[in-house]
Amino acid sequence: MTVQITAGRFHAADGVEDWRCLYHLVSAHFPTGSLSAGIALVNEIGRLAVGNEREYLNVDLRHAGVTVSLSRRDVSLARRISAAARALGIPADPTAVQLINITLDALSTDVLPFWQALLGYQLIGDDYLADPARRGPGFGLQSMEAARPQRNRMHLDIAVPHDQAEDRIAAALAAGGRVISDAHAPMWWVLADAEGNEACIATWLGRE
Protein backbone atom coordinates (compact mmCIF):
# COMPACT_ATOMS: atom_id res chain seq x y z
CA MET A 1 0.00 0.00 0.00
CA THR A 2 1.38 3.42 -0.98
CA VAL A 3 1.73 5.81 1.95
CA GLN A 4 0.22 9.25 1.34
CA ILE A 5 2.81 12.01 1.68
CA THR A 6 1.94 14.96 3.89
CA ALA A 7 0.47 18.17 2.52
CA GLY A 8 3.51 20.05 3.75
CA ARG A 9 5.85 17.75 1.86
CA PHE A 10 3.76 18.12 -1.28
CA HIS A 11 3.80 21.92 -1.13
CA ALA A 12 7.54 21.93 -0.44
CA ALA A 13 8.24 20.12 -3.72
CA ASP A 14 9.35 22.01 -6.81
CA GLY A 15 7.04 22.29 -9.78
CA VAL A 16 3.68 22.06 -7.96
CA GLU A 17 3.01 25.78 -7.60
CA ASP A 18 -0.25 25.40 -9.56
CA TRP A 19 -1.68 22.96 -6.99
CA ARG A 20 -3.31 23.29 -3.57
CA CYS A 21 -4.00 20.67 -0.91
CA LEU A 22 -7.66 20.46 0.18
CA TYR A 23 -8.15 17.85 2.90
CA HIS A 24 -7.27 14.55 1.18
CA LEU A 25 -7.12 16.02 -2.35
CA VAL A 26 -4.73 18.17 -4.31
CA SER A 27 -6.40 20.30 -6.96
CA ALA A 28 -5.50 22.71 -9.73
CA HIS A 29 -7.70 24.83 -11.98
CA PHE A 30 -6.71 25.81 -15.50
CA PRO A 31 -8.87 28.56 -17.07
CA THR A 32 -9.02 27.70 -20.77
CA GLY A 33 -11.52 30.26 -22.05
CA SER A 34 -13.04 27.76 -24.47
CA LEU A 35 -14.29 24.21 -24.56
CA SER A 36 -11.93 23.28 -27.39
CA ALA A 37 -8.89 24.41 -25.40
CA GLY A 38 -10.17 22.47 -22.42
CA ILE A 39 -10.62 19.33 -24.49
CA ALA A 40 -7.05 19.67 -25.75
CA LEU A 41 -5.78 19.84 -22.17
CA VAL A 42 -7.92 16.90 -21.07
CA ASN A 43 -6.58 14.85 -23.97
CA GLU A 44 -3.03 15.60 -22.85
CA ILE A 45 -3.86 14.65 -19.28
CA GLY A 46 -5.36 11.38 -20.51
CA ARG A 47 -2.16 10.66 -22.39
CA LEU A 48 0.06 11.53 -19.42
CA ALA A 49 -1.73 9.51 -16.75
CA VAL A 50 -0.62 5.88 -16.86
CA GLY A 51 -1.38 2.73 -14.89
CA ASN A 52 -2.88 3.23 -11.46
CA GLU A 53 -2.50 7.02 -11.73
CA ARG A 54 -5.84 7.00 -13.53
CA GLU A 55 -7.52 5.55 -10.44
CA TYR A 56 -6.93 8.66 -8.33
CA LEU A 57 -7.24 11.25 -11.10
CA ASN A 58 -10.46 13.24 -11.51
CA VAL A 59 -10.95 15.79 -14.30
CA ASP A 60 -13.83 18.29 -14.47
CA LEU A 61 -14.18 19.86 -17.92
CA ARG A 62 -16.25 23.03 -18.29
CA HIS A 63 -16.51 25.65 -21.01
CA ALA A 64 -14.37 28.11 -19.08
CA GLY A 65 -11.77 25.77 -17.67
CA VAL A 66 -10.52 22.43 -16.42
CA THR A 67 -10.25 21.45 -12.75
CA VAL A 68 -7.99 18.51 -11.95
CA SER A 69 -8.01 16.70 -8.60
CA LEU A 70 -5.76 13.91 -7.34
CA SER A 71 -6.82 11.83 -4.36
CA ARG A 72 -3.16 10.92 -3.90
CA ARG A 73 -0.59 13.68 -3.40
CA ASP A 74 1.37 12.65 -6.47
CA VAL A 75 4.08 15.24 -7.11
CA SER A 76 5.21 13.62 -10.35
CA LEU A 77 1.77 13.55 -11.96
CA ALA A 78 0.99 17.07 -10.79
CA ARG A 79 4.21 18.32 -12.39
CA ARG A 80 3.43 16.58 -15.67
CA ILE A 81 -0.09 18.01 -15.84
CA SER A 82 1.17 21.52 -15.13
CA ALA A 83 3.84 21.15 -17.82
CA ALA A 84 1.21 20.02 -20.33
CA ALA A 85 -0.95 23.06 -19.51
CA ARG A 86 2.02 25.40 -19.93
CA ALA A 87 2.88 23.83 -23.28
CA LEU A 88 -0.66 24.62 -24.42
CA GLY A 89 -0.37 28.20 -23.15
CA ILE A 90 -2.92 27.64 -20.36
CA PRO A 91 -2.03 29.25 -17.01
CA ALA A 92 -3.28 27.96 -13.67
CA ASP A 93 -5.47 29.83 -11.19
CA PRO A 94 -4.73 28.40 -7.71
CA THR A 95 -7.43 30.59 -6.13
CA ALA A 96 -10.22 28.79 -8.01
CA VAL A 97 -10.19 25.46 -6.15
CA GLN A 98 -12.09 24.40 -3.05
CA LEU A 99 -13.66 21.31 -1.49
CA ILE A 100 -17.01 21.37 0.30
CA ASN A 101 -18.20 18.90 2.94
CA ILE A 102 -21.56 18.87 4.70
CA THR A 103 -21.18 18.02 8.38
CA LEU A 104 -23.96 16.92 10.71
CA ASP A 105 -23.58 17.02 14.49
CA ALA A 106 -24.96 13.71 15.73
CA LEU A 107 -25.16 11.75 18.97
CA SER A 108 -24.53 8.44 17.23
CA THR A 109 -23.25 7.08 13.93
CA ASP A 110 -26.46 5.02 13.83
CA VAL A 111 -27.99 7.72 11.63
CA LEU A 112 -25.33 7.28 8.94
CA PRO A 113 -27.09 4.43 7.04
CA PHE A 114 -30.10 6.73 6.59
CA TRP A 115 -27.99 9.42 4.97
CA GLN A 116 -26.10 6.85 2.90
CA ALA A 117 -29.36 5.48 1.51
CA LEU A 118 -30.83 8.94 0.98
CA LEU A 119 -27.80 10.31 -0.86
CA GLY A 120 -26.79 7.13 -2.70
CA TYR A 121 -23.25 7.66 -1.37
CA GLN A 122 -20.49 5.23 -0.43
CA LEU A 123 -19.21 4.75 3.11
CA ILE A 124 -15.59 5.71 3.77
CA GLY A 125 -14.33 4.86 7.23
CA ASP A 126 -16.80 5.00 10.12
CA ASP A 127 -18.33 8.44 9.74
CA TYR A 128 -17.91 9.76 6.21
CA LEU A 129 -19.87 9.39 2.98
CA ALA A 130 -18.63 10.20 -0.52
CA ASP A 131 -20.34 10.60 -3.87
CA PRO A 132 -19.22 7.61 -6.00
CA ALA A 133 -19.45 9.85 -9.09
CA ARG A 134 -17.21 12.43 -7.38
CA ARG A 135 -19.61 15.25 -8.18
CA GLY A 136 -21.38 16.08 -4.92
CA PRO A 137 -19.94 17.29 -1.61
CA GLY A 138 -18.78 14.87 1.03
CA PHE A 139 -21.04 14.18 4.01
CA GLY A 140 -19.68 13.53 7.49
CA LEU A 141 -20.74 13.18 11.09
CA GLN A 142 -19.29 15.15 13.98
CA SER A 143 -19.84 13.67 17.43
CA MET A 144 -21.63 15.67 20.08
CA GLU A 145 -21.94 14.70 23.72
CA ALA A 146 -25.50 15.92 24.29
CA ALA A 147 -28.43 16.99 22.16
CA ARG A 148 -28.40 20.67 21.21
CA PRO A 149 -31.96 21.43 20.08
CA GLN A 150 -31.36 25.19 20.12
CA ARG A 151 -28.17 25.11 18.03
CA ASN A 152 -27.66 24.63 14.34
CA ARG A 153 -26.59 20.98 13.92
CA MET A 154 -25.62 20.97 10.26
CA HIS A 155 -22.93 23.14 8.70
CA LEU A 156 -20.72 23.39 5.64
CA ASP A 157 -16.99 22.71 5.80
CA ILE A 158 -15.25 24.62 3.01
CA ALA A 159 -11.64 23.60 2.42
CA VAL A 160 -9.81 26.39 0.61
CA PRO A 161 -6.19 26.89 -0.45
CA HIS A 162 -4.13 27.79 2.61
CA ASP A 163 -3.11 31.08 1.03
CA GLN A 164 -6.72 32.06 0.34
CA ALA A 165 -8.28 31.46 3.77
CA GLU A 166 -7.85 34.99 5.13
CA ASP A 167 -9.32 36.56 1.99
CA ARG A 168 -12.30 34.20 2.08
CA ILE A 169 -12.91 34.97 5.76
CA ALA A 170 -12.61 38.72 5.15
CA ALA A 171 -15.16 38.48 2.33
CA ALA A 172 -17.58 36.60 4.59
CA LEU A 173 -17.18 39.18 7.34
CA ALA A 174 -17.75 42.02 4.88
CA ALA A 175 -20.93 40.26 3.77
CA GLY A 176 -22.36 40.37 7.29
CA GLY A 177 -20.81 37.30 8.89
CA ARG A 178 -18.86 36.95 12.12
CA VAL A 179 -16.15 34.70 13.50
CA ILE A 180 -17.50 32.36 16.17
CA SER A 181 -14.16 30.74 16.97
CA ASP A 182 -10.58 30.78 15.74
CA ALA A 183 -9.38 28.40 18.46
CA HIS A 184 -8.34 25.80 15.88
CA ALA A 185 -6.96 28.17 13.25
CA PRO A 186 -5.33 27.74 10.81
CA MET A 187 -6.86 24.25 10.60
CA TRP A 188 -10.32 25.80 10.65
CA TRP A 189 -12.27 28.90 11.63
CA VAL A 190 -15.95 28.76 12.63
CA LEU A 191 -18.04 31.55 11.11
CA ALA A 192 -21.74 32.34 11.22
CA ASP A 193 -24.20 34.43 9.28
CA ALA A 194 -26.40 37.09 10.89
CA GLU A 195 -28.89 34.42 12.03
CA GLY A 196 -26.25 32.19 13.61
CA ASN A 197 -26.03 29.52 10.90
CA GLU A 198 -22.49 28.19 11.01
CA ALA A 199 -19.83 27.18 8.49
CA CYS A 200 -16.13 26.38 8.73
CA ILE A 201 -13.29 27.59 6.57
CA ALA A 202 -10.57 24.94 6.64
CA THR A 203 -7.01 24.48 5.37
CA TRP A 204 -4.41 21.72 5.51
CA LEU A 205 -2.22 23.75 7.88
CA GLY A 206 -1.88 22.22 11.32
CA ARG A 207 -3.24 18.81 10.31
CA GLU A 208 0.13 17.04 10.12
Side-chain angles (χ1 to χ4, degrees), residues 3 9 11 27 29 40 42 53 60 63 72-74 76 120 129 135 137 139 146 148 157 167 171 179 193 198 200:
V3 177
R9 184 177 169 190
H11 277 294
S27 293
H29 178 73
V42 171
E53 291 176 338
D60 185 332
H63 173 77
R72 184 176 298 168
R73 299 185 185 117
D74 187 331
S76 174
L129 301 174
R135 288 191 297 262
F139 184 93
R148 294 193 294 268
D157 288 329
D167 288 345
V179 174
D193 66 14
E198 296 180 6
C200 295

Side-chain angles (χ1 to χ4, degrees), residues 15 18 35 49-50 54 58 71 74 80 90 132 158 163 167 190:
D18 295 340
L35 191 59
V50 296
R54 297 169 181 165
N58 190 50
S71 57
D74 187 331
R80 280 179 274 145
I90 302 171
I158 304 105
D163 50 1
D167 288 345
V190 183

Side-chain angles (χ1 to χ4, degrees), residues 148-187:
R148 294 193 294 268
Q150 302 303 317
R151 181 178 178 269
N152 182 29
R153 289 178 53 188
M154 185 175 291
H155 65 271
L156 294 182
D157 288 329
I158 304 105
V160 301
H162 62 282
D163 50 1
Q164 297 297 314
E166 292 185 5
D167 288 345
R168 187 67 67 93
I169 292 167
L173 297 181
R178 58 194 171 97
V179 174
I180 299 297
S181 173
D182 60 1
H184 299 282
M187 282 192 289

Side-chain angles (χ1 to χ4, degrees), residues 17-74:
E17 294 78 13
D18 295 340
W19 300 77
R20 295 294 184 272
C21 289
L22 305 170
Y23 291 144
H24 58 288
L25 298 179
V26 290
S27 293
H29 178 73
F30 301 95
T32 59
S34 73
L35 191 59
S36 58
I39 291 171
L41 176 57
V42 171
N43 284 337
E44 280 300 298
I45 293 171
R47 182 183 64 82
L48 289 170
V50 296
N52 70 340
E53 291 176 338
R54 297 169 181 165
E55 298 176 9
Y56 52 84
L57 168 67
N58 190 50
V59 179
D60 185 332
L61 170 65
R62 305 293 174 98
H63 173 77
V66 175
T67 302
V68 186
S69 297
L70 308 176
S71 57
R72 184 176 298 168
R73 299 185 185 117
D74 187 331

